[in-house]
C-alpha cells in the first residue's frame, strides 16, 4: 500500500531551507529583506523566499512533510511568481525567467512527491505550461549562454504531455459530477489541447489525438484552427500555415512560433526547387509577408545561412546551392518586447482567478 504524503509547510519556502540559504549566502535578490540592509549577510524575507529545486541525493529526505508545501500553497506560490516577479521591469527578464523556471520546477517536484489529485494537478500545470510557452517566444533571440531553448522546450513538452494524461484521466475516472462539469466547461483545456497540436505541427499522432477528442473540444475555435494549421504543415503548405498562424490568440501564436525556424527552413528548401533559376529572383518583401518575417534583414541572414543569394532585397533561389545540412533558420520574435510584456497579465494570470 502506497503511503499517503501530505505537506505541512504553509510558507512558500520551508523554514529549514530559508535559514540554510540565508546562512550560506544563497538567497536570490528577489528574496532579500530590503529592511535589513547593511548586514554582513543578506537577510531572507519569509514572504518573498521560495523553495528551490533540488535533485534527490544521498541523505536527503524528499518526503519530509515539513519541507513539502500542500497544493493550495503551491498554487498561491505560482500566483505570487506571476504577479510580483514576472511583471517586474527593473531587471533583465532573463533573470526573472531563471528564477521563476527554478521555482516552478520545485513546485512540480512537491506536487509529484505528494501525488496531488488530478484536478489540482491540472490547475498547477496549466499556468506552468503558459509560462514556458511565453518564455520560449520572449527569449528566443537570446544567446544560448543566456537562454537554452532546448531545455525550455523539453520541460514544456514534459508538462503539457503530463497535463493531457491528467485530462484523459479526468474524463475516464468516476470523479464528482460537478467537478466533471467544471472541467468540461473550462476553456483552459481547449487552449491546452490547441497548444499541444501546435507544438507538434504535422505530427500524425497528435492529429489523431485531436480528431478523437470529445466533440465540445473538437468544435472549439482554438482546436479547430490548430488542426487546420497542423494539416497544412503535414501537406508542406507553408503559405497556409503562416496565414492561419496570424489568426491565433497571442499565447497560441507564441506556441506556433516555437517551430518557425523549422517552417522557414522547410519553405526555403521547397522554394529553392520550385523557383530554381540562374537569373530570376523572388521578391524579398513578398517572402517577408509569406513567412512572417518582421525585418527583411532577417531574410538576408537566413539566406546566407542556407547558401542562397540575397541581392537588392530579392532572393536568387538555386537548388544546388541550398545547404541541406543546416536544420534550422535563425529565431525571431513575432511580437515586439514591449507588446509581449503587456500581454503578461492576459497570458499568465487571467485564468488563475
Amino acid at each position: 500500500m502506497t503511503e499517503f504524503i501530505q505537506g505541512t509547510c504553509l510558507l512558500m519556502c520551508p523554514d529549514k531551507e530559508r535559514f540554510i540559504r540565508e546562512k550560506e549566502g544563497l538567497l536570490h535578490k528577489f528574496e532579500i529583506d530590503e529592511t535589513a540592509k547593511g548586514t554582513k549577510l543578506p537577510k531572507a524575507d519569509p514572504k518573498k523566499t521560495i523553495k528551490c529545486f533540488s535533485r534527490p541525493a544521498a541523505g536527503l529526505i524528499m518526503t519530509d512533510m515539513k519541507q513539502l508545501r500542500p497544493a493550495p500553497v503551491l498554487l498561491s506560490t505560482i500566483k505570487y511568481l506571476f504577479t510580483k516577479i514576472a511583471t517586474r521591469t527593473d531587471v533583465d527578464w532573463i533573470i526573472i525567467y531563471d528564477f521563476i523556471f527554478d521555482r516552478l520546477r520545485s513546485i512540480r517536484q512537491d506536487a509529484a512527491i505528494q501525488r496531488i489529485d488530478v484536478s489540482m494537478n491540472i490547475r498547477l500545470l496549466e499556468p506552468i505550461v503558459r509560462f514556458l510557452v511565453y518564455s520560449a517566444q520572449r527569449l528566443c533571440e537570446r544567446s544560448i549562454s543566456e537562454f537554452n531553448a532546448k531545455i525550455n522546450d523539453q520541460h514544456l513538452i514534459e508538462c503539457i504531455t503530463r497535463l493531457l494524461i491528467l485530462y484523459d484521466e479526468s474524463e475516464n475516472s468516476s470523479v464528482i459530477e460537478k467537478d466533471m462539469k467544471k472541467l468540461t466547461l473550462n476553456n483552459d483545456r481547449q487552449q491546452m489541447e490547441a497548444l499541444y497540436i501546435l507544438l507538434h505541427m504535422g505530427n500524425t499522432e497528435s492529429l489523431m489525438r485531436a480528431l478523437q477528442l470529445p466533440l465540445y473540444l473538437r468544435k472549439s475555435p482554438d482546436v479547430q484552427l490548430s488542426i487546420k494549421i497542423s494539416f497544412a504543415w503535414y501537406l508542406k503548405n507553408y503559405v497556409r500555415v503562416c496565414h492561419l498562424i496570424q489568426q491565433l490568440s497571442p499565447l497560441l501564436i507564441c506556441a506556433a512560433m516555437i517551430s518557425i525556424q523549422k517552417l522557414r527552413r522547410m519553405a526555403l528548401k521547397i522554394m529553392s526547387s520550385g523557383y530554381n533559376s540562374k537569373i530570376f529572383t523572388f521578391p524579398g518583401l513578398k517572402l517577408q509577408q509569406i513567412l512572417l518575417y518582421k525585418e527583411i534583414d532577417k531574410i538576408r541572414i537566413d539566406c546566407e545561412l542556407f547558401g542562397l543569394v540575397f541581392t537588392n532585397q530579392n532572393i536568387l533561389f538555386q537548388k544546388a546551392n541550398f545547404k541541406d545540412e543546416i536544420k534550422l533558420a535563425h529565431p525571431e520574435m513575432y511580437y515586439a518586447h514591449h507588446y509581449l510584456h503587456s500581454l503578461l497579465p492576459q497570458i499568465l494570470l487571467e485564468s488563475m482567478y
Side-chain angles (χ1 to χ4, degrees):
M1 183 176 179
T2 304
E3 182 183 357
F4 178 75
I5 302 171
Q6 175 68 61
T8 60
C9 176
L10 300 182
L11 295 173
M12 294 191 294
C13 182
D15 291 333
K16 182 179 178 180
E17 179 183 318
R18 188 175 73 252
F19 294 148
I20 290 174
R21 289 209 283 127
E22 183 181 77
K23 182 180 179 180
E24 297 182 1
L26 298 176
L27 294 173
H28 193 279
K29 64 187 299 183
F30 297 149
E31 302 173 319
I32 293 173
D33 184 355
E34 296 296 332
T35 64
K37 291 182 178 179
T39 55
K40 187 175 181 180
L41 280 176
K43 295 291 183 181
D45 186 333
K47 295 181 180 179
K48 295 180 180 178
T49 312
I50 305 175
K51 184 179 179 181
C52 291
F53 172 77
S54 59
R55 299 183 183 279
L60 184 64
I61 303 174
M62 303 297 291
T63 56
D64 183 353
M65 292 185 289
K66 293 180 181 179
Q67 309 307 314
L68 295 171
R69 298 157 293 178
V73 177
L74 296 177
L75 189 61
S76 64
T77 302
I78 293 176
K79 290 181 180 179
Y80 172 83
L81 286 168
F82 290 172
T83 54
K84 303 300 183 181
I85 305 299
T87 54
R88 291 179 63 150
T89 57
D90 59 330
V91 293
D92 190 336
W93 210 79
I94 191 66
I95 297 173
I96 291 172
Y97 167 81
D98 287 339
F99 179 76
I100 295 179
F101 181 83
D102 178 84
R103 286 0 182 221
L104 291 179
R105 286 190 75 183
S106 176
I107 287 171
R108 289 161 52 198
Q109 187 177 56
D110 276 16
I113 293 171
Q114 296 175 83
R115 300 190 180 185
I116 286 175
D117 66 87
V118 171
S119 60
M120 180 55 80
N121 223 331
I122 288 173
R123 292 184 65 192
L124 293 172
L125 282 173
E126 285 171 343
I128 292 175
V129 166
R130 291 189 184 93
F131 171 78
L132 294 171
V133 170
Y134 174 87
S135 301
Q137 169 66 184
R138 181 155 183 171
L139 300 171
C140 68
E141 294 183 2
R142 296 295 191 112
S143 67
I144 192 170
S145 63
E146 293 181 300
F147 173 69
N148 192 319
K150 286 186 177 180
I151 291 178
N152 190 81
D153 291 350
Q154 175 188 332
H155 283 265
L156 171 56
I157 296 302
E158 182 181 314
C159 288
I160 199 167
T161 301
R162 175 60 181 156
L163 188 55
L164 265 56
I165 291 171
L166 292 170
Y167 286 142
D168 292 342
E169 288 181 7
S170 71
E171 288 282 353
N172 299 325
S173 62
S174 56
V175 296
I176 301 174
E177 186 177 348
K178 67 177 183 179
D179 288 338
M180 278 295 298
K181 185 177 181 181
K182 181 180 178 182
L183 281 170
T184 302
L185 296 176
N186 198 335
N187 288 329
D188 290 345
R189 181 175 179 183
Q190 298 173 20
Q191 185 185 67
M192 292 296 127
E193 294 285 358
L195 278 173
Y196 184 78
I197 297 167
L198 293 170
L199 292 170
H200 297 83
M201 283 190 280
N203 181 277
T204 53
E205 290 184 9
S206 68
L207 278 170
M208 286 296 294
R209 175 189 165 81
L211 295 174
Q212 293 171 6
L213 289 171
L215 188 60
Y216 79 94
L217 286 170
R218 288 204 312 274
K219 283 192 171 183
S220 71
D222 284 346
V223 172
Q224 284 190 334
L225 183 53
S226 298
I227 290 174
K228 289 179 183 178
I229 292 171
S230 189
F231 267 127
W233 181 294
Y234 177 76
L235 297 172
K236 292 183 169 54
N237 188 344
Y238 56 86
V239 176
R240 181 167 169 78
V241 171
C242 291
H243 173 71
L244 293 176
I245 282 175
Q246 298 174 83
Q247 300 175 29
L248 293 166
S249 63
L251 180 66
L252 296 184
I253 286 180
C254 289
M257 290 300 291
I258 291 175
S259 299
I260 196 65
Q261 294 169 260
K262 293 180 182 178
L263 175 66
R264 287 173 176 168
R265 190 257 186 201
M266 175 183 76
L268 292 173
K269 183 178 181 180
I270 292 172
M271 295 177 79
S272 293
S273 296
Y275 294 95
N276 183 46
S277 174
K278 295 182 178 179
I279 303 173
F280 298 109
T281 59
F282 190 92
L285 291 176
K286 183 64 177 177
L287 186 66
Q288 181 180 1
Q289 177 187 1
I290 291 173
L291 296 182
L292 306 181
Y293 281 99
K294 292 302 173 184
E295 301 174 16
I296 197 165
D297 193 54
K298 298 285 187 179
I299 298 177
R300 176 189 60 79
I301 294 172
D302 277 351
C303 284
E304 292 174 358
L305 179 67
F306 291 108
L308 305 174
V309 176
F310 184 84
T311 176
N312 297 324
Q313 294 196 337
N314 297 318
I315 302 95
L316 181 66
F317 285 110
Q318 292 182 320
K319 181 180 178 180
N321 292 337
F322 187 85
K323 295 181 180 179
D324 205 47
E325 69 275 10
I326 306 296
K327 299 304 178 184
L328 291 174
H330 287 92
E332 185 188 18
M333 289 181 64
Y334 181 84
Y335 293 115
H337 275 95
H338 67 277
Y339 181 68
L340 200 57
H341 188 79
S342 72
L343 290 174
L344 264 170
Q346 175 186 344
I347 290 178
L348 298 184
L349 303 172
E350 187 175 22
S351 67
M352 294 192 68
Y353 296 99

